[in-house]
Amino acid sequence: MDFLMSGLAACGACVFTNPLEVVKTRMQLQGELQAPGTYQRHYRNVFHAFITIGKVDGLAALQKGLAPALLYQFLMNGIRLGTYGLAEAGGYLHTVEGTHSPARSAAAGAMAGIMGAYLGSPIYMVKTHLQAQAASEIAVGHQYKHQGMFQALTEIGQKHGLVGLWRGALGGLPRVIVGSSTQLCTFSSTKDLLSQWEIFPPESWKLALVAAMVSGIAVVLAMAPFDVACTRLYNQPTDAQGKGLMYRGILDALLQTARTEGIFGMYKGIGASYFRLGPHTILSLFFWDQLRSLYYTYTK
C-alpha cells in the first residue's frame, strides 16, 4: 500500500507540472554545446517558452510526453517514496535516542532513488525524446520522430535491444542520488524541526506543506547541473549500435557543457526547473503525506 500511495501521489503532481517539464527540457537543450550568443534563442525565459510552444506547436504540445511521464512517476516514486516510507515506519531513520538522523535519511533517500530511477530509465528516456520534439522553427537538440511511448520503446528495443533501452541509465543516477537524498532529507528534517517547535498542530497538513516548500528549493539548487546533463545524455543522437554520439557519460556531459557554455550553461532552465520541481515536490510530498495519514487513520 505504501508503494501504491507513493505512486499515486507522484502522478497527481505530474498532471499539474508536466507542461513545466516540457519547457524545462527544451530550455536545457537550447544552445547545446554552443558558446553563449552564437545561437538563436527560441525560448528566452519560462514565460516566453510557454507562449512560443503554445503558439507554434499548439497548446496540446505543453502536455507532450504525459503518458511516459505519468508511468515514470508511478514507477520511480512508487518505489522511491514507498521504500523510504517503509524505512521510516521501521524506525531506521532515527538514532538510538529517537531523534531524526539527517545522514540516515539522506542515505535512505539516495538508495531508494537509485532503485526507482534505474528501473524507470527507459520510460524517462522516451519522455525526454517526446518532450523535445517540436516544429522545425523552434526545434532544439536532436529531434527523434516518435509517434508515442509504446512505438518509441518498441523501435528502440528492436534496433538496440535491452542495452539501448537502458542507455544513459547510469549517467542519470547521480541526478537522482543528489535530488532524492536532498529532497527526502530536507523534507523529513524540516518536518521534524517544525514539530519540535510546535508551530502547527500535530498532523496538520500545513506541516507537510511548509516542509515540502523548503525541500523544493534545496532540490533545485542541488540537482540543476545533473538534470541538464541527464536530459542531454538521454536526448543525444546514437550510432547503429545505440552508442551516444555526443557524450561518453555524465562526467563528459558536465565537462563539455561547462567548457563550451560556461557555468551558467550548467544551470540552463533553472527557472523552469524551479517552477516545475518546486510545485512537483510540494504536491507529491504533500499528497504522499496526506494519503499515508488517511490510510493509517482508517486502518487502525
Side-chain angles (χ1 to χ4, degrees):
M1 186 56 70
D2 259 321
F3 290 90
L4 178 62
M5 289 187 293
S6 303
L8 290 174
C11 286
C14 181
V15 171
F16 294 98
T17 60
N18 190 61
L20 289 160
E21 180 77 7
V22 173
V23 168
K24 174 186 75 78
T25 297
R26 297 196 185 182
M27 293 187 76
Q28 288 176 337
L29 292 171
Q30 182 171 244
E32 185 174 13
L33 299 186
Q34 298 179 62
T38 62
Y39 58 87
Q40 183 180 358
R41 292 181 63 196
H42 299 300
Y43 313 108
R44 292 196 293 271
N45 53 55
V46 178
F47 306 106
H48 180 256
F50 264 106
I51 295 170
T52 302
I53 294 170
K55 186 183 297 182
V56 179
D57 284 343
L59 290 176
L62 290 167
Q63 282 290 14
K64 274 193 174 183
L66 181 60
L70 288 171
L71 182 56
Y72 176 77
Q73 289 298 328
F74 188 83
L75 287 173
M76 195 274 194
N77 282 304
I79 295 170
R80 185 175 72 97
L81 295 179
T83 303
Y84 186 84
L86 291 176
E88 188 176 45
Y92 299 113
L93 306 185
H94 293 80
T95 62
V96 179
E97 293 77 22
T99 57
H100 179 264
S101 170
R104 291 187 184 186
S105 184
M111 291 302 297
I114 288 172
M115 289 189 289
Y118 191 79
L119 289 174
S121 182
I123 309 298
Y124 190 92
M125 178 171 65
V126 168
K127 175 194 73 69
T128 303
H129 292 178
L130 290 171
Q131 291 175 338
Q133 287 180 190
S136 58
E137 58 263 42
I138 59 168
V140 291
H142 182 72
Q143 294 289 295
Y144 287 90
K145 303 297 181 183
H146 301 314
Q147 300 303 310
M149 177 176 68
F150 295 112
Q151 179 271 331
L153 288 169
T154 302
E155 182 183 336
I156 295 169
Q158 288 176 344
K159 280 186 178 179
H160 309 302
L162 285 175
V163 175
L165 284 170
W166 263 268
R167 177 177 61 82
L170 292 177
L173 292 184
R175 166 187 175 273
V176 177
I177 292 171
V178 171
S180 184
S181 59
T182 302
Q183 182 190 59
L184 294 175
C185 176
T186 53
F187 177 73
S188 296
S189 299
T190 304
K191 191 179 173 187
D192 188 60
L193 195 61
L194 292 172
S195 297
Q196 292 179 28
W197 289 348
E198 298 181 349
I199 296 175
F200 304 109
E203 304 304 322
S204 170
W205 62 269
K206 296 177 183 175
L207 195 65
L209 184 61
V210 173
M213 289 174 68
V214 173
S215 177
I217 296 171
V219 170
V220 172
L221 293 175
M223 200 172 72
F226 300 98
D227 197 33
V228 170
C230 184
T231 295
R232 295 181 174 189
L233 274 175
Y234 277 123
N235 195 67
Q236 67 177 324
T238 60
D239 60 18
Q241 286 71 47
K243 184 179 179 181
L245 296 175
M246 296 177 70
Y247 310 106
R248 294 190 299 272
I250 185 74
L251 183 60
D252 184 47
L254 287 168
L255 289 174
Q256 285 201 59
T257 300
R259 191 180 299 123
T260 56
E261 302 171 53
I263 191 67
F264 291 111
M266 300 173 73
Y267 283 87
K268 274 186 176 177
I270 191 171
S273 292
Y274 177 74
F275 285 122
R276 180 260 169 190
L277 269 176
H280 190 276
T281 300
I282 292 167
L283 289 170
S284 60
L285 292 178
F286 177 67
F287 289 156
W288 177 56
D289 195 75
Q290 293 303 298
L291 283 171
R292 292 173 71 209
S293 179
L294 286 171
Y295 174 72
Y296 292 126
T297 298
Y298 290 104
T299 55
K300 284 183 179 178

